[in-house]
C-alpha cells in the first residue's frame, strides 16, 4: 500500500490464500502461484523491481524462484530480498551452547522454513542466477536474546544491522539483474 501511495504500479503473488486475500483487501492485485514450481504469470522483462521479503526460506526449489525472478525483471532491474540469517550472533551463541538456531525445527514445523541462509550463501546463489549484490545490510544485531529485546520495541537497534550485517537477525540484500534476458 505504501508503494501504491507513491505512485508505483504494484502487483503481487502469494502461495497462501489468506495472505493473498489480505493483500487484495489493501487494493494490491495478487495472483496465487507456487513460487518453487510454477512459472510466474508475467511476461519476460515485465518489472523494474521485485521484492521477495521473507519468501526464499519457505521454497523447496529456490533455483526456480530465482530463475523466474530474473526472467520477469528487466535488465538492470532491482531485486530486494530478505531472509533470516542462520549466522546471526544469536544463532552462533545458541550453537556454541548446543542449542538449535532460531527458526529451525528438525520436524519442519512452526515457521515453515525449509532453507536457511548465511549472507555468503545467498550472495553466491544470487550471482549464479545473474544478479550482482549492490548492498547488504541487516535488520539488527541481537546482543541480547530476541525474547528480551527486539528492533520493534527498540528501533534504535536497527543501526547495528548496518554496522555488522553478517551478525544481524535477517539478511537484507539489494541486487541488480545483469546481462540479457532471464535465464
Amino acid at each position: 500500500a505504501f508503494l501504491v501511495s507513491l505512485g508505483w504500479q504494484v502487483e503481487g503473488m502469494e502461495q497462501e490464500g489468506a495472505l493473498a486475500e489480505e493483500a487484495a483487501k489493501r487494493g494490491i492485485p495478487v495472483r496465487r502461484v507456487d513460487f518453487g514450481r510454477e512459472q510466474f504469470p508475467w511476461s519476460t522483462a515485465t518489472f523494474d523491481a521485485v521484492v521477495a521479503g521473507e519468501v526464499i526460506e519457505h521454497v523447496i526449489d529456490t533455483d526456480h524462484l530465482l530463475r523466474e525472478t530474473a526472467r520477469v525483471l528487466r535488465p538492470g532491474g532491482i531485486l530486494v530480498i530478505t531472509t533470516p540469517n542462520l549466522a546471526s550472533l544469536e544463532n552462533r551463541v545458541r550453537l556454541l551452547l548446543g542449542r538449535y538456531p532460531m527458526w529451525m525445527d528438525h520436524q519442519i514445523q512452526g515457521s515453515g522454513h525449509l532453507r536457511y541462509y548465511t549472507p555468503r550463501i545467498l550472495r553466491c546463489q544470487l550471482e549464479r542466477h545473474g544478479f550482482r549484490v549492490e548492498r547488504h545490510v541487516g535488520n539488527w544485531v541481537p546482543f541480547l536474546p530476541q525474547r528480551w529485546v527486539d528492533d520493534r520495541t527498540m528501533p534504535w537497534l536497527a543501526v547495528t544491522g548496518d554496522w555488522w550485517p553478517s551478525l544481524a537477525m535477517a539478511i537484507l540484500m539489494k541486487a541488480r539483474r545483469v546481462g540479457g534476458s532471464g535465464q
Side-chain angles (χ1 to χ4, degrees), residues 7 17 23 50-51 90 94 97 105 115 117 125 132 149 157 175:
V50 170
V51 176
E90 183 168 345
R94 290 173 71 89
L97 298 175
D105 186 332
R115 301 274 183 218
Y117 283 91
Q125 191 175 18
R132 183 182 66 249
V149 297
L157 287 171

Side-chain angles (χ1 to χ4, degrees), residues 10 19 21-22 31 44 88 96-97 121 126 132 157 181-182:
V10 176
L19 294 174
E21 290 173 19
E22 183 62 33
R31 300 179 195 197
T44 299
S88 71
L96 281 172
L97 298 175
I121 294 299
L126 290 172
R132 183 182 66 249
L157 287 171
S181 63

Side-chain angles (χ1 to χ4, degrees), residues 12-70:
M13 63 180 196
E14 179 56 59
Q15 292 184 144
E16 296 184 34
L19 294 174
E21 290 173 19
E22 183 62 33
K25 287 178 188 174
R26 296 178 182 198
I28 299 171
V30 176
R31 300 179 195 197
R32 295 270 318 265
V33 177
D34 183 338
F35 305 141
R37 295 187 186 146
E38 298 176 345
Q39 182 173 344
F40 294 179
W42 295 284
S43 300
T44 299
T46 298
F47 297 105
D48 294 318
V50 170
V51 176
E54 305 300 305
V55 171
I56 198 167
E57 67 273 13
H58 298 276
V59 175
I60 292 172
D61 189 349
T62 56
D63 288 322
H64 173 80
L65 172 76
L66 293 174
R67 266 193 312 274
E68 280 297 292
T69 301

